[in-house]
Amino acid sequence: MHVYSGSEKRMAEAINDQIVRKGMQDYFAEVLVPTEEVVEVRRGVRVNSERKFFPGYILIKMALTPQSKYVVENTQGVISFVGPKGSDPVPLTDKEIKRIFGEVADKEGREILTTSYKVGDMVQVISGPFLDFAGHIEEVNDEKQKVKVVVSIFGRPTPIELSVNQILSES
């Protein structure tokens, strides 16, 4: 299902409410918003959050009948089924389902760190040999939790690679 981005969980709940209200539980097996747990570093503090695999989409396992299709399509906030306009929705293939659920299973329990730092941000070095130096971020590597910061050493711009734990945003 295509829904408004940012309202996936609310739409999944609304669809589930409509299913119960219309007494159509036998036609629906699952309404799912695939997500993964992510640990972000914001201003030097680790914060847990959830990231959606498919922003703007919900997965629904259902028996497709005119009545079940009507219930979902007429839930307020639902945009449309995925597939050609005016035709029945296109179901995911078994291969696609295995890939999606394999990804969800692989990511569960694994900590993925992302930073709130962006290229161009002004930062202060708070530990290491460049303590108290200030500069701007030239490159961010979320996977390695490293940033390349350009600082002025002896009046020359010098790029240094630092861990995200060694810097603090100046904003």
Side-chain angles (χ1 to χ4, degrees), residues 78-150:
V78 168
I79 296 173
S80 65
F81 278 101
V82 175
K85 292 259 186 235
S87 67
D88 281 339
V90 177
L92 294 172
T93 64
D94 287 340
K95 185 179 176 182
E96 291 170 323
I97 292 169
K98 285 178 185 171
R99 184 181 62 80
I100 291 167
F101 285 100
E103 257 184 57
V104 171
D106 287 348
K107 304 272 184 177
E108 277 183 20
R110 196 174 89 197
E111 205 173 79
I112 297 170
L113 294 169
T114 61
T115 66
S116 59
Y117 297 114
K118 299 182 292 295
V119 172
D121 284 355
M122 290 300 295
V123 293
Q124 180 81 29
V125 180
I126 58 171
S127 71
F130 299 100
L131 179 67
D132 293 331
F133 276 74
H136 68 277
I137 295 178
E138 188 176 76
E139 191 178 303
V140 178
N141 185 337
D142 281 334
E143 194 173 298
K144 293 184 179 179
Q145 291 294 286
K146 300 274 185 186
V147 292
K148 191 178 286 184
V149 178
V150 177

Side-chain angles (χ1 to χ4, degrees), residues 49-67:
S49 64
E50 248 181 13
R51 180 186 302 159
K52 294 172 190 71
F53 277 123
F54 308 112
Y57 293 91
I58 302 174
L59 301 178
I60 302 175
K61 185 175 184 179
M62 62 186 269
L64 187 63
T65 65
Q67 297 86 1

